[in-house]
Amino acid sequence: MSKQKMTEQQVAEYCLSLPGAREDYKWGGLRVFSVAGNKMFAVQGLQGAALMFKVADELFLGYCDRPGVRPAPYLARAKWVSMEQPYPMGRDELCDLLQRSHQLVVKRLPKRLQVGLMI
């Protein structure tokens, strides 16, 4: 497992590599990664601001107990976490969590939209 930290650009590139992912800029400078048009799975502030993404409901409190990870403002009730740079986890773990966030969102889409987006 790689302990190497990811940069803001590497996170963005990874998010865009996931099936059907696209990016928008919203809310005064947030980079929003979404699937199926407008279903967000990650949000990245610009110039080193926080990275936010969805985690499984049952894992939310456990991640929030970790150093450097906190409930995401305005999105915590939907089980999103937030972290600042340098991200408090290695590349492998962060990529896994971003992929899981993507898949959590995809699984909530209608079956006809899930085709080609599942990993």
Side-chain angles (χ1 to χ4, degrees):
M1 182 179 281
S2 173
K3 295 287 184 188
Q4 180 183 0
K5 304 288 185 180
M6 291 180 80
T7 66
E8 185 178 327
Q9 186 58 34
Q10 288 170 327
V11 166
E13 288 169 4
Y14 182 76
C15 286
L16 289 171
S17 77
L18 296 169
R22 66 183 198 90
E23 70 178 324
D24 276 327
Y25 292 89
K26 298 181 181 181
W27 308 305
L30 292 178
R31 194 173 191 178
V32 177
F33 300 96
S34 56
V35 67
N38 63 351
K39 303 298 182 187
M40 300 186 315
F41 67 90
V43 176
Q44 190 178 49
L46 301 177
Q47 284 104 25
L51 170 65
M52 298 170 277
F53 53 89
K54 184 170 183 53
V55 295
D57 291 1
E58 64 274 10
L59 300 177
F60 178 73
L61 292 176
Y63 276 106
C64 291
D65 282 344
R66 290 179 60 171
V69 181
R70 61 187 173 89
Y74 310 108
L75 295 169
R77 64 182 163 76
K79 307 300 189 261
W80 281 58
V81 296
S82 175
M83 59 187 69
E84 302 289 332
Q85 278 192 315
Y87 304 124
M89 53 192 65
R91 175 184 201 85
D92 291 346
E93 184 178 14
L94 187 52
C95 286
D96 182 57
L97 286 170
L98 291 166
Q99 179 179 318
R100 286 174 186 251
S101 178
H102 175 273
Q103 291 297 283
L104 286 168
V105 172
V106 167
K107 287 177 184 172
R108 298 197 63 190
L109 296 172
K111 295 283 186 212
R112 64 182 172 75
L113 295 177
Q114 291 181 16
V115 176
L117 299 176
M118 298 297 288
I119 295 175

